[in-house]
Amino acid sequence: MCGIVGYIGKRKAWPVLFKGLERLEYRGYDSAGIALLQNGAFSVYKKKGRVVELSKFTKNQNQLSGGVGIAHTRWATHGVPSDRNAHPHLSSGGDIVIVHNGIIENYLSIKKILVGKGYRFKSDTDTEVLANLIEDIKKHTKVEIDEVVRLALAQVSGAYAILVLSKDEPGTMVVAKVGSPVVIGIGKKEFFVASDATPIIEHTKKVIYLEDGQMATIKNSKLLIKTIKNKTIKNPYVHTLKTKIEELEKGGFPLFMLKEIFEQPKSLADTMRGRIVLDKGNVKFGGLEKFEKQLRSINRLTITAMGTARFTGLIGEYAFEELAGIPTKVEYGSEFAYREAAVDENTGLLAISQSGETKDTLNAIKEAKKKGMLTLGIVNVIGSSIAREVDAGIYNHVGPETAVASTKASTSQALLQIMLAIYLGRMRFARGLSKSKAKGILKEMQKLPALAEMILKSANNIKKLAKKYKNYNNFFFLGRKYNVAAAMEGALKLKECSYIHVEGMNSTELKHGPISLIDKNFPTLIIAPIDSMYEKNKSSIQEIKARGGPVIAITSLGNKELENITDDVIYIPKTLEMLTPILAFIPMQLLAYYIAVERGNDVDKPRNLAKSVTVE
Ligand code: F6R
């Protein structure tokens, strides 16, 4: 979590850093700060709250004239959100200023030594300890700042992306990375550094992604990359960014979440673009072509992810078993990384992540590699840590997702897993998938963008429902088979955006305990399309109504029956059973969005959250 930005070059640093922080605010937003090097000393401007709070400092423009600076937007790990704990952090003597994304695990033992040497600390953060450690080494050695930082890093354990400036070397910025992402943008005699490429895109398309264990020194308009162990990296790979700046803007919508919900007809089409080979009843993925032999030998699959991405994995689990006959299990990345899972080299690992930076998922991939497993990824952010860590992968291609609550990435994740299940099913002869069955599914799949469009046309009906249900304190979200996952995801969406307590589960599970909570103040949303589970879902509805609970049903267009036994009905177009969750996600996203707006919440940035969770 946390976002860092740095600028060194001929422009004024403040506007570049401020705009960069706004782009990275999704990574954390409990405090923000900017440090500028001005007339041989550091000026640090920081404040609890959102990035916009920093604009209070811009009244005196002269104050903000420096051409070198670093900035940070925070998601608290050590120390409460406050002005004091906000980054950047200065060392005691004011020689060093630093911003940091990550956690220094051994900071307490280092702090103890520094306190013994007379250092005083103004914050509760691990970062200030690193600033003072760097200053201390600088005092006792005669080497340049990049070497000082390298020596300091040899003493710390944990995860970090850091930017360091030294007041005695005004033309130098030091960057280092272990476990947290960092990208360096290369301009004309200027450099931009950030946690991801979004603050850089409007300035340059040429970027270098630092690898774990690497550090960069930007000095006199030159960039030198080496490892923290001191090995020079010659000719680092320079990527060309493809994202367009308009993709990062709201495009006429009041909030990013609504924009991203409405982008789904396009994002679903983009997910499939160039990948469906209808006449062969198959799917092709460029990123998997070289791995066909290993993929054929996979006889079990572990899906690993967190949050929304994990819920889409539950859809994948059913699809891999149904279409490819591959026994599949879904694991929290955080658990797989630490428990003794019974896997072998014929078990494939599929990691799913929008950001490609989720630490728990990344840890699971590293563990799987140790166990000799083939690791695959479904990732949205190109060049992200997970995308680079896995052996082979598939990109969602849905463009940047900015709202903290995942929407367009989640429908794409579910869709890609069903496509992958078809791909694997078609290559397996024993329990494989016939061409005609695959063709039938693919044809239905191709209709999804148009069906999503139909749902979005009825957004106003959901807006009305939001007004009706906004004041309830609890909800159940229910579904069966593929829609258990949809119910769980719908529940997460509503709880994280609206701060209402919501539980998502299998409709049948209700009567094994949770039904005791049902009364007139406890509504239930049930996903009950016309499918193999329809009659069972109808029984669940009756059971809830018999206990006085209000019911909203999501059912298939044209099925009027539920209007008689529920309080409200949301219609989604008919499709195959395995594709219904992709459509069912959409009205639940809209409901979460509109209820949260009704309740006056900051929908794009719900409290206590951050979009990419780069800490364990
Ligand atoms: C909820 C949400 C989160 C993420 C989770 C994993 O709306 O977005 O639950 O799904 O933090 O993030 P990624 O997909 O970036 O690994």
Side-chain angles (χ1 to χ4, degrees), residues 138-166:
K138 181 173 176 281
K139 262 191 221 156
H140 295 99
T141 53
K142 294 225 161 2
V143 290
E144 292 184 8
I145 184 64
D146 51 336
E147 182 59 9
V148 173
V149 172
R150 202 182 72 74
L151 294 172
L153 293 179
Q155 296 185 35
V156 305
S157 58
Y160 50 80
I162 55 166
L163 300 181
V164 184
L165 299 175
S166 163

Coordinates of all heavy atoms in Angstrom, one line a residue, residues 138-166:
K138 N 25.9 7.9 6.8 CA 26.5 9.1 6.1 C 27.5 9.8 6.9 O 28.6 10.1 6.4 CB 25.4 10.0 5.6 CG 25.8 11.2 4.8 CD 24.6 12.0 4.3 CE 25.0 13.2 3.6 NZ 25.3 14.3 4.4
K139 N 27.2 10.0 8.2 CA 28.1 10.7 9.1 C 29.4 10.0 9.2 O 30.5 10.6 9.4 CB 27.5 10.8 10.5 CG 26.8 12.1 10.8 CD 26.4 12.1 12.2 CE 25.1 12.7 12.5 NZ 24.4 12.3 13.7
H140 N 29.3 8.7 9.2 CA 30.5 7.9 9.5 C 31.3 7.3 8.3 O 32.2 6.5 8.5 CB 30.1 6.7 10.5 CG 29.7 7.2 11.8 ND1 28.3 7.4 12.1 CD2 30.4 7.7 12.9 CE1 28.2 7.9 13.3 NE2 29.4 8.1 13.8
T141 N 30.8 7.6 7.1 CA 31.6 7.2 5.9 C 31.8 8.4 5.0 O 31.1 9.4 5.2 CB 30.7 6.1 5.1 OG1 29.4 6.7 4.9 CG2 30.6 4.8 5.9
K142 N 32.7 8.2 4.1 CA 32.9 9.3 3.2 C 32.4 9.0 1.8 O 32.9 9.5 0.8 CB 34.4 9.6 3.1 CG 35.0 10.1 4.4 CD 35.9 11.3 4.2 CE 36.2 12.2 5.4 NZ 35.7 11.9 6.7
V143 N 31.5 8.1 1.7 CA 31.0 7.7 0.3 C 29.8 8.5 -0.1 O 29.2 9.2 0.7 CB 30.7 6.2 0.3 CG1 31.9 5.3 0.5 CG2 29.7 5.8 1.4
E144 N 29.4 8.3 -1.4 CA 28.3 9.1 -1.9 C 27.0 8.5 -1.4 O 26.9 7.4 -1.0 CB 28.4 9.2 -3.4 CG 29.6 10.0 -3.9 CD 29.7 10.2 -5.4 OE1 28.8 9.8 -6.1 OE2 30.7 10.7 -5.8
I145 N 25.9 9.3 -1.6 CA 24.6 8.9 -1.0 C 24.1 7.5 -1.5 O 23.5 6.8 -0.7 CB 23.6 10.0 -1.2 CG1 22.3 9.7 -0.4 CG2 23.3 10.4 -2.6 CD1 22.4 9.6 1.1
D146 N 24.3 7.2 -2.7 CA 23.8 5.9 -3.2 C 24.5 4.7 -2.5 O 23.8 3.8 -2.1 CB 23.9 5.7 -4.7 CG 25.3 6.0 -5.3 OD1 26.0 6.8 -4.6 OD2 25.6 5.5 -6.3
E147 N 25.8 4.9 -2.2 CA 26.5 3.9 -1.5 C 26.0 3.9 0.0 O 25.9 2.8 0.6 CB 28.0 4.1 -1.6 CG 28.9 3.1 -0.9 CD 28.7 1.6 -1.4 OE1 28.0 1.4 -2.4 OE2 29.2 0.7 -0.7
V148 N 25.8 5.0 0.6 CA 25.3 5.1 1.9 C 24.0 4.3 2.1 O 23.8 3.5 3.0 CB 25.1 6.6 2.4 CG1 24.4 6.7 3.7 CG2 26.4 7.3 2.4
V149 N 23.1 4.6 1.1 CA 21.8 3.9 1.1 C 21.9 2.4 1.0 O 21.3 1.6 1.7 CB 20.8 4.5 0.0 CG1 19.6 3.7 -0.1 CG2 20.5 5.9 0.2
R150 N 22.8 2.0 0.1 CA 23.1 0.6 -0.1 C 23.6 -0.1 1.2 O 23.1 -1.1 1.6 CB 24.1 0.4 -1.2 CG 24.1 -0.9 -1.9 CD 25.2 -1.0 -2.9 NE 26.5 -1.1 -2.3 CZ 27.0 -2.2 -1.7 NH1 26.3 -3.3 -1.6 NH2 28.2 -2.2 -1.2
L151 N 24.5 0.6 1.9 CA 25.0 0.1 3.2 C 23.8 0.0 4.2 O 23.7 -1.0 5.0 CB 26.1 0.9 3.7 CG 27.4 1.0 2.8 CD1 28.4 2.0 3.3 CD2 28.0 -0.4 2.8
A152 N 23.0 1.0 4.2 CA 21.8 1.0 5.2 C 20.9 -0.2 4.9 O 20.5 -0.9 5.8 CB 21.1 2.3 5.1
L153 N 20.6 -0.4 3.6 CA 19.7 -1.4 3.2 C 20.2 -2.8 3.5 O 19.4 -3.7 3.8 CB 19.3 -1.3 1.7 CG 18.5 -0.1 1.3 CD1 18.3 0.0 -0.1 CD2 17.2 0.0 2.1
A154 N 21.5 -2.9 3.6 CA 22.1 -4.2 4.0 C 21.7 -4.6 5.4 O 21.7 -5.8 5.8 CB 23.6 -4.2 3.8
Q155 N 21.3 -3.6 6.2 CA 21.0 -3.8 7.6 C 19.5 -4.0 7.8 O 19.1 -4.4 8.9 CB 21.4 -2.7 8.4 CG 22.9 -2.5 8.5 CD 23.3 -1.4 9.4 OE1 22.7 -1.2 10.5 NE2 24.4 -0.6 9.1
V156 N 18.7 -3.8 6.8 CA 17.2 -3.9 7.1 C 16.6 -5.1 6.4 O 17.1 -5.6 5.4 CB 16.4 -2.6 6.6 CG1 17.0 -1.3 7.2 CG2 16.4 -2.5 5.1
S157 N 15.5 -5.6 7.1 CA 14.8 -6.7 6.5 C 13.4 -6.2 6.3 O 12.9 -5.3 7.1 CB 14.9 -7.9 7.3 OG 14.4 -7.7 8.6
G158 N 12.7 -6.7 5.3 CA 11.3 -6.3 5.1 C 11.0 -6.0 3.7 O 11.7 -6.6 2.8
A159 N 10.0 -5.2 3.4 CA 9.7 -4.9 2.0 C 9.7 -3.4 1.9 O 9.3 -2.7 2.8 CB 8.3 -5.4 1.7
Y160 N 10.2 -3.0 0.8 CA 10.2 -1.5 0.6 C 10.4 -1.1 -0.9 O 10.9 -1.8 -1.7 CB 11.3 -0.9 1.4 CG 12.7 -1.5 1.2 CD1 13.5 -1.2 0.1 CD2 13.2 -2.4 2.1 CE1 14.7 -1.8 -0.1 CE2 14.4 -3.0 1.9 CZ 15.2 -2.7 0.8 OH 16.4 -3.4 0.6
A161 N 9.8 0.1 -1.2 CA 10.2 0.9 -2.3 C 10.5 2.2 -1.7 O 9.6 2.8 -1.0 CB 9.1 1.0 -3.3
I162 N 11.7 2.7 -1.8 CA 12.1 4.0 -1.2 C 12.6 5.0 -2.2 O 13.2 4.6 -3.2 CB 13.1 3.8 0.0 CG1 14.4 3.0 -0.5 CG2 12.5 3.1 1.2 CD1 15.5 3.1 0.4
L163 N 12.4 6.2 -1.9 CA 13.1 7.3 -2.6 C 13.9 8.1 -1.5 O 13.3 8.5 -0.5 CB 12.1 8.2 -3.3 CG 11.2 7.6 -4.3 CD1 10.2 8.7 -4.9 CD2 12.0 7.0 -5.4
V164 N 15.1 8.4 -1.8 CA 15.9 9.1 -0.8 C 16.6 10.3 -1.5 O 17.1 10.2 -2.6 CB 17.0 8.2 -0.2 CG1 17.8 8.9 0.9 CG2 16.4 6.9 0.3
L165 N 16.6 11.4 -0.8 CA 17.4 12.6 -1.2 C 18.4 13.0 -0.1 O 18.0 12.8 1.1 CB 16.5 13.8 -1.5 CG 15.4 13.6 -2.6 CD1 14.5 14.9 -2.6 CD2 16.1 13.4 -3.9
S166 N 19.5 13.5 -0.5 CA 20.5 14.0 0.5 C 20.7 15.5 0.3 O 20.9 15.9 -0.9 CB 21.8 13.2 0.4 OG 22.8 13.9 1.1

